[in-house]
Amino acid sequence: MSALVKLADTARKQGRWEDAELGYREALKLRNDATVVGRLGLTLVAAGQPARGARNLMEAIERGGGVGAEQEEFFKVFKRIRPTVCLLYVKGNLSDAVVSIDGGPFHKEGGVQFKLFVAPGKHVLEGKSEERGVARAERTCPEGGEATTVLSWHWPDGLPTKPERLFRHRRKGEVIPGLDDARPADIPREEDEPPPRKPIFGGVAGDERPKPKRGSVGGGVAVVSGVATWAPAVGVALHGSVRPIEVLSIDLDARAAWLTSGIAGEPISGMTAGGLLSVCGHWRWLFGCATGYLGLIAVDFDEARYEGRSYVFFTPGLGGRVGARIPIGDAFAIRVAADVVGLNGGIRVAVDQETVADHPPVMIGGSVMGTWEF
């Protein structure tokens, strides 16, 4: 088989389309290889037969034919020609009938249960049954779309409206002697399942589903309330996230913020720095997280006014956060989040034995960040 494929590949590179088609078909008689089916499709398209080539390309894509660049070529060529052809589903109520389209050869496989690509426009189908004679139907197939044609034979009085022989579906993995051992490559297979309501690729540019994002990094502005006072502290925030599945992510955020005014109106400054490790559940643009916090709060007395010094308090804690992700383009988003963390202890600030601030063990934070998603 490999020798036939090499000869066909050489003929296709040289533009000898008939020789290439013959080589691929002979190779397929030996082994029905998905990659060879795709190459046959490329050959037929290059030879000016997009309707015949589309079926082979679709089969190669569905079966995972080709590797790397060749697999991408199958998809690109199929996507390019899909708007120029029509996918026609043929159905009927006899299993022993054979069908001809526009006076062409009769299909031997699948009876009147198959699909194939055809040129846009009106087509005449003729089905022949040894038992029930001839049935005819006309159908206009739209460019880039799909259509269904039904061939019906009338049953004599006394038979059920849906006899057992109405349809014969191929079982999954079934091989039918005389049909599968020498199957012409241009005859479509009978499907195990009913045809989809829409074409697999739609034939419209941009119809592909975007790949799910698996991580993000970013940075922005943070506001924190709880640095020994309810007054807001303003600073910066950094963000990193990995998303093992679509609805779950593991986030790591770091932030640092400084008070914009003194504690209790006194010349006492404060700041906080820490990190939040979160496990988040996602639903559309929204997310909610269980959060662990590890950080510090620093209180610094003005040396010109006090005979004190700076104090640093380590503050682990647990809490939760909620937020929203607002996408901007394909790879960027705005991330808005708010969190509440319970700390291991509160902060008490005293001057000359007088308490000027006694803050409970709670920290409230928020951030607005721009993120790059990948």
Side-chain angles (χ1 to χ4, degrees):
M1 175 182 174
S2 59
L4 288 171
V5 173
K6 289 180 180 179
L7 290 173
D9 289 341
T10 301
R12 181 163 64 95
K13 291 178 182 178
Q14 296 174 353
R16 295 185 285 113
W17 311 125
E18 292 183 2
D19 293 339
E21 179 182 354
L22 178 61
Y24 289 136
R25 291 192 187 282
E26 293 299 320
L28 286 171
K29 291 179 181 179
L30 299 177
R31 181 161 62 89
N32 190 10
D33 183 87
T35 300
V36 177
V37 172
R39 292 178 185 176
L40 175 59
L42 295 177
T43 301
L44 293 170
V45 172
Q49 304 179 57
R52 296 178 66 203
R55 191 214 65 84
N56 290 276
L57 288 173
M58 185 175 73
E59 180 181 338
I61 294 168
E62 290 177 340
R63 294 171 56 192
V67 177
E70 186 173 36
Q71 190 176 52
E72 293 180 5
E73 185 180 9
F74 293 164
F75 177 79
K76 288 179 180 178
V77 173
F78 179 84
K79 188 176 179 181
R80 174 171 58 83
I81 65 172
R82 180 62 182 88
T84 69
V85 296
C86 180
L87 183 58
L88 179 65
Y89 295 99
V90 181
K91 299 180 179 181
N93 62 351
L94 286 180
S95 61
D96 68 334
V98 291
V99 179
S100 170
I101 299 178
D102 298 327
F106 285 89
H107 291 276
K108 301 297 183 182
E109 181 187 351
V112 284
Q113 287 290 106
F114 61 87
K115 67 180 181 182
L116 79 167
F117 286 98
V118 296
K122 181 179 291 186
H123 296 276
V124 179
L125 290 87
E126 182 179 274
K128 287 186 178 181
S129 166
E130 293 183 2
E131 183 181 1
R132 296 296 166 195
V134 177
R136 292 182 178 86
E138 290 187 1
R139 182 63 169 167
T140 299
C141 210
E143 185 177 26
E146 60 182 33
T148 300
T149 297
V150 178
L151 289 167
S152 299
W153 283 262
H154 295 291
W155 293 84
D157 295 337
L159 289 179
T161 57
K162 292 184 178 180
E164 294 181 358
R165 295 176 64 251
L166 281 183
F167 298 104
R168 162 62 161 84
H169 286 290
R170 181 192 297 268
R171 294 187 297 274
K172 187 174 182 180
E174 178 184 8
V175 176
I176 302 176
L179 293 178
D180 295 318
D181 49 2
R183 183 179 69 87
D186 60 345
I187 296 178
R189 292 179 176 273
E190 182 180 355
E191 298 294 318
D192 296 323
E193 300 177 356
R197 293 184 179 179
K198 295 183 179 180
I200 294 176
F201 300 101
V204 179
D207 227 17
E208 306 162 71
R209 290 186 178 182
K211 294 181 179 180
K213 307 299 183 182
R214 293 305 184 197
S216 63
V217 293
V221 179
V223 178
V224 180
S225 178
V227 186
T229 175
W230 288 117
V234 180
V236 296
L238 298 175
H239 166 77
S241 174
V242 293
R243 202 159 178 173
I245 59 176
E246 188 70 18
V247 298
L248 181 71
S249 70
I250 301 174
D251 297 1
L252 180 61
D253 293 78
R255 68 188 180 195
W258 292 261
L259 287 173
T260 57
S261 60
I263 297 176
E266 299 289 336
I268 306 172
S269 61
M271 66 86 63
T272 182
L276 299 98
L277 180 63
S278 307
V279 178
C280 302
H282 294 259
W283 181 73
R284 296 185 179 179
W285 292 4
L286 304 178
F287 61 86
C289 314
T291 300
Y293 174 78
L294 181 61
L296 58 85
I297 294 177
V299 178
D300 188 17
F301 291 82
D302 186 351
E303 294 182 356
R305 295 283 304 273
Y306 302 103
E307 296 180 358
R309 58 187 179 87
S310 299
Y311 295 89
V312 177
F313 305 90
F314 289 97
T315 54
L318 296 173
R321 67 187 336 197
V322 294
R325 166 191 162 274
I326 305 171
I328 302 176
D330 182 56
F332 296 93
I334 299 296
R335 189 174 187 275
V336 181
D339 57 82
V340 177
V341 177
L343 306 177
N344 67 327
I347 303 296
R348 178 175 176 270
V349 179
V351 176
D352 296 331
Q353 306 301 318
E354 180 182 351
T355 299
V356 296
D358 189 1
H359 193 77
V362 177
M363 180 178 289
I364 301 174
S367 62
V368 178
M369 291 184 279
T371 61
W372 173 58
E373 301 177 333
F374 53 89

